[in-house]
Amino acid sequence: MPELRSDPHATLEKPVSIHKKALDQLIASTNRMPLPEGRTSTAVPYFSIVKHSRETQRSPGVLTPSFCLILQGAKKLYLGQEVYHYAAGDYLASLIDIPASSQVVGVSEQSPYIGLRIDFTTQEIASVVMEAGIDAEPKEKGLNAGAFIGKSDAALLDIFARLLKLIDKPHESRFLSELLKREMIFNLLSGDFGHLFFQKVLFDQRADGVGKAIQWIKENYARSFTVEELAKSCNMSTSGLHHKFKAITTIGPLQYQKQLRLQEARRMMLSGPVGATTAAMAVGYESPSQFNREYRRLFGLPPLQDIKAMKRSSAGWGFEDR
């Protein structure tokens, strides 16, 4: 099971008190900006701000390598069979692409959800680890999920404050923003959750093939394969691959591929005039009826009805605006 928090409901049961002043200052900085609903890009390429003025329905999507700090409001994360709550002052970090669902809760027009999102790559994490000489050995022998919830500290909030100030300084942001990003990664790796943020199994493909297997499926989700074939290509046993794959992503390799296929098909239909059959064939389905059946099972509606509903909604979809 993912190691996210010993008491996943704690953040909703009592008001946030730690670093409240720093959080309020960050909220004040975002309030000075004309933020529409959903995700807003900034002058800093990897940095975006998310706003929701009303609660959202549970929305399936894919967590991508990123880090999101909640300034105001709360969310639920549905990962595997578990449900996790996180709120102001908490952050969600995802190290790889992981199918999951999310839901914004406890917000209103007067007190909207506000989140600050940083996108990164595993290569950037590995670079900081190597250059800074960080020892991020796991505290436990078992694998942890590739996504986790942590609690921010004063140093992390200060980095975000400096990052927000760079938005209005485009000439300075090009250079300084990259330094701040590396400082943020260093802060996370050096903190209490560093052993979760850096797992060798996701970076060193020579030491363990599960990272290689995940990357292969991401790049070849439209191709058919068996778990036995994938395990052999990664120099692993079938049972070993399945066990480690599920420990990190919460699902097996074939289910992981299925969800990536369905998410990509949904993206295609939302992005342009692409029909359900065309999208199904493009992502590797041979049977339109099977595609429709599995699509409805994941998203709750048949493809065309779901796309119409999504286009009518201003709440966004998946984790694109997490």
Side-chain angles (χ1 to χ4, degrees):
M1 290 297 172
E3 181 182 341
L4 299 189
R5 145 182 339 275
S6 57
D7 180 5
H9 298 279
T11 54
L12 292 185
E13 295 174 353
K14 59 183 179 180
V16 176
S17 58
I18 301 176
H19 312 313
K20 183 68 165 58
K21 183 177 179 180
L23 285 171
D24 288 343
Q25 291 174 341
L26 290 173
I27 293 171
S29 296
T30 61
N31 285 340
R32 290 193 288 268
M33 306 176 190
L35 295 176
E37 289 293 303
R39 180 179 173 184
T40 300
S41 299
T42 71
V44 178
Y46 61 79
F47 180 44
S48 55
I49 304 173
V50 183
K51 176 183 176 181
H52 286 293
S53 299
R54 60 180 181 273
E55 294 190 350
T56 64
Q57 297 295 317
R58 176 178 174 178
S59 177
V62 178
L63 289 167
T64 57
S66 57
F67 170 91
C68 186
L69 170 70
I70 296 183
L71 300 184
Q72 187 170 271
K75 296 195 81 171
K76 290 182 181 179
L77 173 69
Y78 301 83
L79 186 61
Q81 300 300 314
E82 302 294 324
V83 182
Y84 300 93
H85 300 248
Y86 56 116
D90 296 335
Y91 64 78
L92 171 65
S94 176
L95 311 180
I96 57 173
D97 290 0
I98 303 179
S101 299
S102 71
Q103 182 179 12
V104 175
V105 296
V107 298
S108 64
E109 292 281 350
Q110 295 71 33
S111 182
Y113 169 90
I114 300 177
L116 305 180
R117 171 175 169 138
I118 303 295
D119 292 295
F120 57 78
T121 66
T122 54
Q123 289 76 17
E124 288 172 326
I125 299 174
S127 173
V128 172
V129 169
M130 182 174 62
E131 292 185 26
I134 296 173
D135 180 12
E137 289 297 326
K139 296 179 181 179
E140 301 176 357
K141 292 183 179 180
L143 295 174
N144 296 293
F148 62 91
I149 292 171
K151 203 139 190 84
S152 62
D153 57 20
L156 189 62
L157 297 183
D158 177 66
I159 297 173
F160 270 109
R162 285 181 280 148
L163 195 55
L164 282 168
K165 291 178 181 178
L166 281 183
I167 292 177
D168 297 324
K169 301 176 181 180
H171 295 295
E172 297 178 20
S173 67
R174 183 176 180 180
F175 175 73
L176 294 179
S177 64
E178 289 302 318
L179 297 179
L180 286 179
K181 188 177 188 180
R182 292 177 67 80
E183 182 180 349
M184 183 175 294
I185 293 174
F186 177 83
N187 175 282
L188 294 168
L189 290 168
S190 303
D192 294 337
F193 298 92
H195 68 290
L196 295 176
F197 207 83
F198 176 75
Q199 296 188 63
K200 288 185 177 180
V201 69
L202 300 178
F203 299 90
D204 189 354
Q205 295 180 2
R206 295 169 300 176
D208 196 306
V210 69
K212 181 179 179 181
I214 291 171
Q215 187 63 32
W216 186 91
I217 296 175
K218 284 171 53 181
E219 295 175 354
N220 301 276
Y221 60 81
R223 293 177 55 181
S224 298
F225 68 91
T226 66
V227 178
E228 291 77 10
E229 292 170 341
L230 184 62
K232 185 177 180 180
S233 68
C234 297
N235 297 315
M236 299 179 69
S237 68
T238 301
S239 60
L241 173 62
H242 193 275
H243 171 74
K244 293 181 179 180
F245 199 102
K246 191 170 184 179
I248 293 171
T249 68
T250 74
I251 55 180
L254 295 178
Q255 188 178 4
Y256 183 86
Q257 180 199 39
K258 180 196 299 183
Q259 294 206 28
L260 290 187
R261 282 180 168 183
L262 293 171
Q263 291 290 349
E264 176 59 17
R266 194 188 206 196
R267 186 199 66 79
M268 292 173 62
M269 289 185 287
L270 280 169
S271 301
V274 178
T277 300
T278 301
M281 297 298 115
V283 300
Y285 278 89
E286 297 179 359
S287 168
S289 61
Q290 181 186 5
F291 170 75
N292 291 340
R293 192 164 53 247
E294 294 182 350
Y295 189 102
R296 182 169 187 168
R297 188 177 300 124
L298 179 61
F299 298 114
L301 290 171
L304 296 184
Q305 291 183 32
D306 175 60
I307 297 305
K308 288 180 180 179
M310 291 302 300
K311 288 182 176 179
R312 287 195 302 266
S313 172
S314 61
W317 59 284
F319 285 95
E320 290 301 307
D321 61 353
R322 167 164 62 89

